[in-house]
Amino acid sequence: MAQESVTNARRHARHATRIEVRVAADDTSVHLRVSDDGESSAARPAGAPGFGLIGMMERADLLGGTCAAGPNPDRGWTVTAVLPRAGASA
């Protein structure tokens, strides 16, 4: 999901100067946040068609987690995901 989010930002974030990836974990889940500072727009510029966001949301759902994406209030775009650690080795 992190790789797909960075790829999407590189492909679609017009005039972005930064892509930030944050990963944090606690006892029960892993939290991912990928954001960019590209031009703010709910409709990103068209690139090659794909299923990046849909695929990430489907993968998160299959793992029992969540994934959301959308424009930031001021500038840029953010993808967040929360995935359960269930099944991970202790």
Side-chain angles (χ1 to χ4, degrees):
M1 287 183 191
Q3 181 177 355
E4 181 71 25
S5 297
V6 170
T7 298
N8 286 347
R10 289 186 52 131
R11 183 175 292 153
H12 301 292
R14 291 181 43 184
H15 306 292
T17 61
R18 173 191 56 79
I19 300 170
E20 183 176 72
V21 178
R22 291 186 183 189
V23 179
D26 57 33
D27 290 341
T28 60
S29 57
V30 176
H31 304 263
L32 170 67
R33 182 177 189 273
V34 179
S35 61
D36 67 66
D37 66 349
E39 288 181 0
S40 185
S41 172
R44 298 288 262 212
F51 300 100
L53 290 175
I54 294 169
M56 286 190 289
M57 291 175 188
E58 288 175 348
R59 286 190 296 270
D61 187 53
L62 286 171
L63 294 169
T66 61
C67 181
N72 297 328
D74 53 350
R75 187 175 168 91
W77 187 270
T78 296
V79 175
T80 57
V82 179
L83 304 173
R85 291 181 59 133
S89 58

